[in-house]
Amino acid sequence: MARVGRARERDETAGSIQILVDAETHRILGAAILGIEATKRSTRSSTPCTPAFPYTVLESAVHAHPTVSELIPTVLGSLQPL
């Protein structure tokens, strides 16, 4: 959360964003956002959680600044296999 503009602005950088994606289908299986304004982001993160939407849709979306959601493309862009 230290990389989130809103969190830095309010000096509340504790927290994390974790997203689980299926390696074959690229479908988002789940997400956890802990920290400032996390409840506002949970609905936005779950929107593309259907077979019709790969994670790349959310990764390439334009996110408002400064908000927690602006870090989601960065998290998705740095996915690593479990």
Side-chain angles (χ1 to χ4, degrees):
M1 297 299 280
R3 295 166 55 188
V4 176
R6 176 70 72 196
R8 287 193 317 266
E9 173 186 83
R10 294 189 181 171
D11 198 27
E12 296 183 33
T13 56
S16 68
I17 298 175
Q18 298 176 341
I19 302 173
L20 182 63
V21 174
D22 183 282
E24 293 179 18
T25 66
H26 294 179
R27 180 175 175 226
I28 296 174
L29 302 175
I33 302 174
L34 304 172
I36 186 173
E37 296 185 7
T39 56
K40 293 180 182 178
R41 298 303 128 217
S42 59
T43 303
R44 176 133 158 91
S45 299
S46 64
T47 301
C49 293
T50 67
F53 295 102
Y55 79 89
T56 52
V57 171
L58 189 57
E59 180 182 24
S60 62
V62 176
H63 299 274
H65 171 78
T67 64
V68 173
S69 64
E70 70 182 320
L71 187 60
I72 291 174
T74 302
V75 173
L76 291 172
S78 60
L79 291 174
Q80 298 178 355
L82 293 176

